[in-house]
Amino acid sequence: MSPVNDTKFQPALFFLTGILGQEDLYVWISVPFSLTYVTSIFGNLLILFIIKTDPNFREPMYIFISMLATTDLGLTISTLPTTLGIFWFNSKEISHDACFAQLFFISSLSFTESSVLLSMAFDRFVAICNPLRYASILTPPRIAKMGLVSLLRGVVLVFPLPLLLKQYRYCHANILSHSYCLHQEVMTMACSDIRVNIIYGFFITVSSVGLDLLLILLSYVKILKTVLSIASHAERLKALNTCVSHICVVLLFYVPSISLSVIYRFGKNFSPMVEIVMGHVYLLVPPLMNPIVYSLKTKHIRVRIIRLFIK
């Protein structure tokens, strides 16, 4: 094929969409989005600052919370430039390379967060089911290795996706339905055979996120069996209360993630607005709510925040 024809089939840009049909209201829509981003960044930085500066927060549970806050911070920053660029400046164009880079960070950090949530479930499992060996099992070096493996798994699994996308030709309108780039949608813009991306994307989702969720559920089955074997009702409540925050965070992450996957694969009859809303919920709500959940439900973090602002 001649170079002239290649350029015909290879547009240099993708076009992002904010909220379809609401362009006249972008100035007002930008207000809640801006507040969400500011709150997410401030909340996660606050959690990290408290855990970093207070020597009382050296327990494994708080180290895992700091890992979760770091991942949420990365997810927030990954989507912030394009989302606010649309609502503030109506800037909808994004180059192929920038789009592939953004979807790489979004996907790899999502897989990393799933791994961190699994590590937190393991932490609660050991703390309740084997408390006498808690300190010897979850040592600082072992926790550091768990965090590193979580990050590397996300990077290694997702790394082939943008490389494959870069090889394809794009001859469709290249108009994306979100204010950021998602692999599930970008690959459908290609004119080339994308079966490798479909199969590999499905495989890594099932083998990582699906497996993580299954192991989290199994850990809570074991935790529930252990808690029910405790004679004292007060001790049961105390044990379960230590898991409430993690359960809330797991639901905040997996419910939107699974819902968005179902919409992409089976939701041909859904309204486009449902897909847009779920796309924003999937990436904006967990980083916003996770610091709030841990601030409200974890007594030591709550007390530390109160002391920080009320001398």
Side-chain angles (χ1 to χ4, degrees):
M1 184 176 289
S2 67
V4 175
N5 287 336
D6 273 347
T7 57
K8 176 183 176 182
F9 289 101
Q10 191 70 19
L13 299 170
F14 288 112
F15 296 91
L16 301 170
T17 304
I19 299 180
L20 199 62
Q22 304 298 320
E23 288 79 5
D24 295 338
L25 301 175
Y26 275 3
V27 174
W28 299 106
I29 293 173
S30 69
V31 175
F33 274 89
S34 300
L35 290 175
T36 298
Y37 278 114
V38 170
T39 306
S40 299
I41 292 172
F42 175 77
N44 286 293
L45 285 176
L46 180 62
I47 294 290
L48 288 171
F49 172 78
I50 288 173
I51 293 175
K52 174 67 175 176
T53 57
D54 194 326
N56 294 319
F57 294 110
R58 294 295 180 266
E59 297 178 19
M61 181 180 74
Y62 299 112
I63 299 175
F64 287 124
I65 291 174
S66 67
M67 290 180 186
L68 183 68
T70 303
T71 309
D72 283 336
L73 203 56
L75 278 171
T76 301
I77 295 172
S78 296
T79 60
L80 184 149
T82 52
T83 301
L84 294 187
I86 291 173
F87 293 126
W88 283 356
F89 310 111
N90 201 31
S91 176
K92 298 182 178 181
E93 297 179 353
I94 184 170
S95 68
H96 283 190
D97 289 341
C99 186
F100 298 154
Q102 185 180 50
L103 69 85
F104 167 77
F105 283 111
I106 289 174
S107 298
S108 59
L109 287 169
S110 296
F111 286 138
T112 301
E113 180 150 339
S114 179
S115 299
V116 172
L117 291 175
L118 175 59
S119 300
M120 297 173 81
F122 179 69
D123 168 73
R124 292 299 85 205
F125 168 76
V126 176
I128 293 174
C129 299
N130 202 350
L132 297 179
R133 297 189 59 202
Y134 180 68
S136 62
I137 293 175
L138 289 169
T139 59
R142 189 165 290 164
I143 294 171
K145 289 177 182 176
M146 292 169 70
L148 182 61
V149 168
S150 298
L151 178 60
L152 288 177
R153 189 182 77 156
V155 171
V156 170
L157 287 177
V158 176
F159 190 73
L161 295 179
L163 295 180
L164 289 168
L165 291 172
K166 199 172 177 63
Q167 308 305 314
Y168 296 155
R169 291 182 302 160
Y170 297 88
C171 56
H172 296 301
N174 288 351
I175 299 175
L176 305 176
S177 60
H178 298 292
S179 57
Y180 49 82
C181 296
L182 277 178
H183 171 256
Q184 299 98 309
E185 186 176 26
V186 172
M187 68 178 180
T188 62
M189 298 291 109
C191 304
S192 308
D193 186 352
I194 61 170
R195 279 180 294 181
V196 174
N197 277 66
I198 293 173
I199 295 170
Y200 182 70
F202 180 76
F203 168 75
I204 62 174
T205 300
V206 172
S207 63
S208 58
V209 177
L211 181 61
D212 291 347
L213 181 57
L214 177 62
L215 292 174
I216 289 171
L217 292 175
L218 289 175
S219 69
Y220 272 102
V221 169
K222 294 288 291 182
I223 287 171
L224 191 59
K225 288 176 63 177
T226 303
V227 169
L228 292 177
S229 66
I230 300 174
S232 170
H233 180 69
E235 289 297 321
R236 288 182 192 174
L237 291 177
K238 183 180 178 181
L240 287 174
N241 191 51
T242 64
C243 301
V244 170
S245 300
H246 181 251
I247 293 172
C248 292
V249 169
V250 167
L251 292 175
L252 285 169
F253 178 79
Y254 284 105
V255 171
S257 176
I258 294 171
S259 300
L260 189 62
S261 297
V262 169
I263 289 173
Y264 267 113
R265 284 178 169 81
F266 310 109
K268 301 299 182 183
N269 297 323
F270 282 103
S271 165
M273 186 59 68
V274 174
E275 185 179 314
I276 293 170
V277 171
M278 285 307 305
H280 285 110
V281 169
Y282 163 58
L283 287 178
L284 294 183
V285 171
L288 171 68
M289 293 303 300
N290 289 348
I292 296 174
V293 168
Y294 278 107
S295 299
L296 294 176
K297 298 301 296 180
T298 307
K299 180 182 177 181
H300 294 92
I301 294 179
R302 183 174 68 249
V303 170
R304 185 66 179 83
I305 291 174
I306 292 172
R307 288 178 180 172
L308 186 65
F309 290 101
I310 302 175
K311 300 296 184 181

